[in-house]
Amino acid sequence: MASSDNPARDDRPEVIPSEVDPDVECVRIDLVRDRTAAPPPPDAPMPPPSPASEAVTGRRLCPEGYTPRRRHRDYTLDGKRIVSESPPVPNPEEPPTG
């Protein structure tokens, strides 16, 4: 049996940052294949390309074997406010005058 026939061992990282768009991370396709949504209907309009898409930049968001997804935030928002367990930290700078 060839090593490519054994999907149990894959040394590639599960998630890598996109080299093209800092708001995108690349996830190994074999990890998301089971959780992908149904494809859109054939008559559904295509969304416009993002500013960092391959159509605009000529570069792919992710390398072969990976699929793009929006990067996850490591904080929680309440409207525009960041919700945190820790107390607020004051800005060390003086507020601008004038």
Side-chain angles (χ1 to χ4, degrees):
M1 175 159 73
S3 62
S4 62
D5 296 336
N6 186 3
R9 175 112 170 114
D10 193 342
D11 293 334
R12 296 178 301 159
E14 293 181 5
V15 179
I16 59 174
S18 171
E19 294 180 0
V20 179
D21 187 345
D23 293 331
V24 174
E25 57 191 11
C26 302
V27 182
R28 266 192 2 223
I29 290 176
D30 59 322
L31 298 176
V32 295
R33 193 167 282 157
D34 297 336
R35 298 178 289 201
T36 56
D43 58 343
M46 290 295 292
S50 74
S53 71
E54 183 177 7
V56 175
T57 64
R59 295 176 60 197
R60 294 180 59 178
L61 286 173
C62 296
E64 192 69 36
Y66 286 85
T67 187
R69 77 172 179 200
R70 286 272 169 216
R71 189 176 299 269
H72 293 285
R73 294 189 310 255
D74 56 354
Y75 52 87
T76 305
L77 294 176
D78 177 19
K80 292 183 178 181
R81 295 181 53 208
I82 295 176
V83 178
S84 171
E85 300 282 327
S86 61
V89 178
N91 187 346
E93 302 280 328
E94 289 292 321
T97 57

